[in-house]
Amino acid sequence: MSGKVTNGAGGSGDGGDGSEGTPELDAAFFARWMTAAADAVAREADRLTELDSAIGDSDHGGNMRRGFEAVREELGEEVPATPGAVLMTAGRKLVSTVGGASGPLYGTLLRRAGKALGSAERVSREELAGALRTGIDAVAQLGGAVAGDKTMLDALFPAVEALADSGGKDFEAARTAAEQGAEETVPLQARKGRASYLGERSIGHQDPGATSAALLVAALAEADTAVEPEGDADGTGSAQGGSGGSE
Amino acid sequence: MVEAHGGKRVGIVLVSHSKEVADSTARLAAGLAGVPDALVAGAGGLPDGSLGTSEELIVEAARRMDEGAGVALLADLGSAVLTVKTLLAEGDELPEPARLVDAPLIEGAVAAVVTAAGGGDLDTVAAAAEEAYTYRKL
């Protein structure tokens, strides 16, 4: 809906931000993201269930909490060595523990994104944005949903678009876009999932899946601000294990 | 009918949100087909018996039903379908070949079990189950 703000053709020019140095996001960042997501889901579980009781089967909060607590536990034992591995581990855990449709959907999102990040020890924000796009496209394909169907995609598409518009840098913009996207599901009629059986009666309720998707995006922004700048962004290259081509 | 080779039969797994639906449908299909349950298994609900879909139970049932001629999976709705699709797309946990069959759960299960018991290969079993959609009741 409403005109897409395409970020002029310019954009890519200087990039700035130490893009010459080591990419800034490491496995610890991704683990922090997943933990922040688990916190957010735990905090909002009742609300997710309440939204789900209006147009679904009242299990979204409980399912998501079970899944993300399992992720938290798994990553608490040992954080995998690479960003890609963190997301793949988390995704696998969600598929095996959630028990509802959000398990395979969020699981696919994280696993595909993780796979797209490959085995690099650190990744750039731009790479993260690209990987999320890959994951979200896989979710769309799995569920057969498109924008406006009143699903998690209505939060995820705007979020990844906002992220891409900022060259992957602006997690806050992604969070705002996701939250707005979730709110904008209220007047929509559900065309996928159990809520679609309600037809017009699904109108007037915020979609639980879009709401939890916005939590996941918000957690990304939280993980970002939670960083103590332990050497300033410009980190005087503490010789990053010489991992030459971390493409 | 194309026969699965070596006397091995295609295994059938029925995935439902409900353990009772999955297991009862498996018994119903085996009974109507006049074969022992061994060919078909339910993978319903969560491990604790509540409603939902369990990847673990699906994988376990598929491995148990695998005689080496492949496994056909039928699912009811939503997360049951998505979980099987995800397993097929991502994992290496299901036996090879495994396939999600686009069929109504009960009618498809009966057709699949009858066909598998008769020695049909995976394509034939899948086709029989899918054909169940065309069977009108009125």
Side-chain angles (χ1 to χ4, degrees):
Chain A
M1 51 207 70
S2 74
K4 218 182 281 184
V5 184
T6 343
N7 213 6
S12 58
D14 51 19
D17 279 71
S19 49
E20 288 308 313
T22 328
E24 64 183 304
L25 306 176
D26 59 4
F29 170 85
F30 283 81
R32 219 160 46 233
W33 175 24
M34 291 299 106
T35 306
D39 291 342
V41 164
R43 199 169 56 230
E44 299 290 327
D46 288 348
R47 174 155 179 265
L48 294 177
T49 292
E50 196 183 309
L51 292 171
D52 196 30
S53 68
I55 58 173
D57 49 3
S58 314
D59 63 0
H60 193 50
N63 282 348
M64 289 293 283
R65 179 159 48 193
R66 180 169 56 235
F68 272 96
E69 286 309 320
V71 169
R72 187 208 299 280
E73 198 175 315
E74 178 97 357
L75 296 178
E77 281 167 22
E78 189 188 352
V79 175
T82 66
V86 170
L87 293 188
M88 287 175 67
T89 299
R92 203 170 303 126
K93 206 70 197 171
L94 290 179
V95 177
S96 65
T97 55
V98 167
S102 41
L105 291 168
Y106 281 113
T108 294
L109 168 58
L110 296 181
R111 283 206 291 207
R112 285 298 176 85
K115 202 180 280 184
L117 291 176
S119 55
E121 281 180 25
R122 304 176 79 92
V123 301
S124 69
R125 288 169 178 247
E126 205 157 11
E127 287 166 329
L128 169 58
L132 284 177
R133 163 61 71 180
T134 302
I136 291 165
D137 287 345
V139 170
Q141 202 200 349
L142 174 65
V146 298
D149 280 352
K150 199 177 182 104
T151 71
M152 58 197 278
L153 293 174
D154 292 319
L156 294 174
F157 279 145
V160 79
E161 203 122 303
L163 204 55
D165 283 349
S166 69
K169 293 195 186 68
D170 199 344
F171 292 167
E172 277 301 331
R175 177 218 289 254
T176 306
E179 283 167 358
Q180 194 182 336
E183 283 162 23
E184 285 173 0
T185 62
V186 173
L188 298 178
Q189 177 170 337
R191 283 195 289 261
K192 284 287 161 188
R194 185 197 175 284
S196 64
Y197 300 145
L198 295 175
E200 288 182 2
R201 280 178 295 143
S202 65
I203 294 171
H205 302 278
Q206 184 164 324
D207 181 62
T211 309
S212 59
L215 294 179
L216 187 66
V217 178
L220 188 60
E222 280 165 33
D224 196 28
T225 54
V227 199
E228 300 102 273
E230 65 189 86
D232 237 309
D234 224 15
T236 329
S238 56
Q240 203 50 50
S243 61
S246 44
E247 296 285 295
Chain B
M1 172 182 304
V2 184
E3 305 224 332
H5 32 183
K8 293 167 180 166
R9 302 169 307 174
V10 172
I12 317 286
V13 174
L14 307 178
V15 184
S16 168
H17 279 61
S18 152
K19 174 175 168 50
E20 289 81 0
V21 168
D23 292 348
S24 299
T25 307
R27 275 198 301 279
L28 172 67
L32 291 180
V35 298
D37 291 13
L39 192 63
V40 53
L46 297 178
D48 69 1
S50 61
L51 296 182
T53 306
S54 161
E55 183 196 50
E56 179 191 337
L57 292 179
I58 297 169
V59 169
E60 190 269 327
R63 289 182 180 163
R64 201 154 32 87
M65 290 303 103
D66 179 31
E67 295 184 0
V71 176
L73 298 106
L74 282 73
D76 59 6
L77 299 163
S79 62
V81 175
L82 294 179
T83 302
V84 174
K85 278 188 179 174
T86 303
L87 276 167
L88 290 170
E90 306 283 337
D92 47 4
E93 291 159 287
L94 291 176
E96 285 278 332
R99 187 187 304 181
L100 174 63
V101 177
D102 183 13
L105 187 65
I106 296 177
E107 291 87 337
V110 174
V113 172
V114 169
T115 309
D121 66 5
L122 186 54
D123 283 342
T124 313
V125 168
E130 283 168 13
E131 210 180 285
Y133 269 132
T134 66
Y135 170 70
R136 311 307 313 178
K137 293 167 193 176
L138 280 179

